[in-house]
Every structure is written in C-alpha cells, then in structure tokens.
Amino acid sequence: MRKLKAARRPEIVGAAVELAAERGPAAVSMRSVAARLGLTPMALYGYFRGKDDLLDAVACHLMGLLPEPGAELPPLERLRRLAGGLRDLARAHPALAGLLFTAGASAADEALVVTDRWYAALLDAGVPAADVPRLERLLTTFVAGFVLSEVEGRFAAARRAARSRRARFAPADLPGHHRLGTRLDPDVAWDTEFGDDLTALLGVVEAAALRDS
C-alpha cells in the first residue's frame, strides 16, 4: 500500500469541510476540493486514496471538535454532556452531521477515543462491564437518530404530514392518529424533548447500575 503524504492534509480537509457546508457532502469530490485549493485532482491523491477516504477524514476532524467532559463530573452528567455535545456539533454542521455516523468514521482511531469516553462514564456510573457496550450503543444510537431527524428535517416533515393529511383518513384507518387528535398539533420544544428522552435513557443506566450493587 502506498504511503500517503501528510503535510497538507489539514488544509485539504478544511477545504472539504467548507465545500460540504456550502453545498452538501455530495458536492465534495477530489476535483472540486482540488479546484478550491488551486491544485490538480491528482495532487490530492498523494494525500487521500479517494473521495471516501477524504470524507472519513472530514468526519474525524469533526469528532476532534467534540468536547470532553471533565473526569471530575458525576458520571451521569458526563453522559449527558457527551450526548449534548454530539447534538450541538451536528446542529453546528448540519450538512456534515451524517458523516459522523458512517462506517468509515466509526472505524477511525478518533472514534475509539470518543467511544472510550462513553465507556468510562458508564463504568464509573456502576454499570456492569457486560452491559457497557450495549448501553453505549443504546445512547449513541438515540443521539444519532434524534439529531439526524432534527437537522435533516424529518421531524418537521412528519409533523406537517400529520397536520395536513390525517383528516383525509377515517378513524379506523389511522386509529392512533385520531385518538391523539390535537395533541399532534402543538409545536414541539426540541431541546426539552431531547433532554426528557435522554433522562429516560439515563434511567436505564441507573437501573443497570443498581442491579449490580
């Protein structure tokens, strides 16, 4: 396997971040990034093996921006801050949020460091070691699903559809919707909902710790 150069990698990643933020990840290509830097596409292949490799580097750059809660904080507060930090990062870079959860990014060394923060907090909370990987997946999958639904507009689209379309169906066709009725209409305070959902999941963490005490 050929050895890749490193000197201009941060500059190239920065250009890819700017391009993706302006026009979306689909606009990132070796050619478009090279053009932004005044380079030839072949020059970039000295630093990255291709577009996927470059996008993985962008995801790793983003993971490096995640805050690290202090070890002096209570474990459940560290978990809350880890979740909130991931959500804040995704909302600050909505066009790039999906890159944080790709297979390539998940396999990166930076992902190991981030995951270790979750593991350490769960262990310090008293969760049995056998349950830690499962609960880390539960928490991070919740955050991923919530923030992607939030930044990509799925929540808003679903609410608009519920408001404009459910009246066209008989109660027997959409019994759940019709039983909820106007409860589906009020605007949602997403910060509050995220916090409430996270609190419920942290209750699962506390329960797991209590079972081992």
Side-chain angles (χ1 to χ4, degrees):
M1 184 179 293
R2 64 188 173 87
K3 185 176 181 179
L4 297 173
K5 296 183 286 187
R8 299 190 67 176
R9 278 179 66 94
E11 180 186 5
I12 297 168
V13 169
V17 168
E18 292 176 358
L19 190 62
E22 294 169 9
R23 297 163 48 193
V28 176
S29 67
M30 302 298 270
R31 184 177 299 278
S32 62
V33 174
R36 175 159 293 222
L37 294 171
L39 301 172
T40 65
M42 287 306 299
L44 265 62
Y45 283 97
Y47 294 89
F48 299 95
R49 295 182 179 86
K51 175 181 175 178
D52 290 343
D53 191 25
L54 176 55
L55 289 176
D56 286 345
V58 170
C60 291
H61 165 76
L62 293 175
M63 282 189 278
L65 301 177
L66 287 168
E68 180 179 3
E72 74 282 358
L73 293 171
L76 293 183
E77 178 60 23
R78 282 154 56 194
L79 291 169
R80 189 177 293 278
R81 293 196 184 191
L82 286 168
L86 183 53
R87 180 178 179 234
D88 288 345
L89 180 64
R91 294 203 300 177
H93 302 275
L96 301 169
L99 294 179
L100 289 166
F101 310 108
T102 60
S106 298
D109 289 348
E110 289 81 356
L112 287 175
V113 173
V114 173
T115 302
D116 193 74
R117 295 170 188 166
W118 291 89
Y119 286 169
L122 288 164
L123 288 167
D124 290 347
V127 173
D131 290 336
V132 166
R134 175 180 63 83
L135 290 179
E136 183 273 332
R137 288 191 294 270
L138 175 67
L139 289 165
T140 55
T141 299
F142 156 68
V143 177
F146 194 99
V147 299
L148 289 177
S149 294
E150 193 174 22
V151 302
E152 294 180 359
R154 186 182 73 85
F155 284 160
R159 286 176 55 74
R160 286 194 301 270
R163 285 174 174 172
S164 63
R165 297 170 61 189
R166 69 173 181 268
R168 294 162 38 198
F169 291 84
D173 296 324
L174 292 177
H177 284 73
H178 280 273
R179 287 172 65 187
L180 288 169
T182 57
R183 292 180 179 85
L184 294 171
D185 293 333
D187 291 333
V188 176
W190 297 115
D191 290 347
T192 301
E193 182 161 309
F194 181 84
D196 290 347
D197 292 348
L198 183 57
T199 296
L201 288 177
L202 292 180
V204 176
V205 172
E206 290 182 296
L210 286 173
R211 285 198 303 270
D212 198 49
S213 62

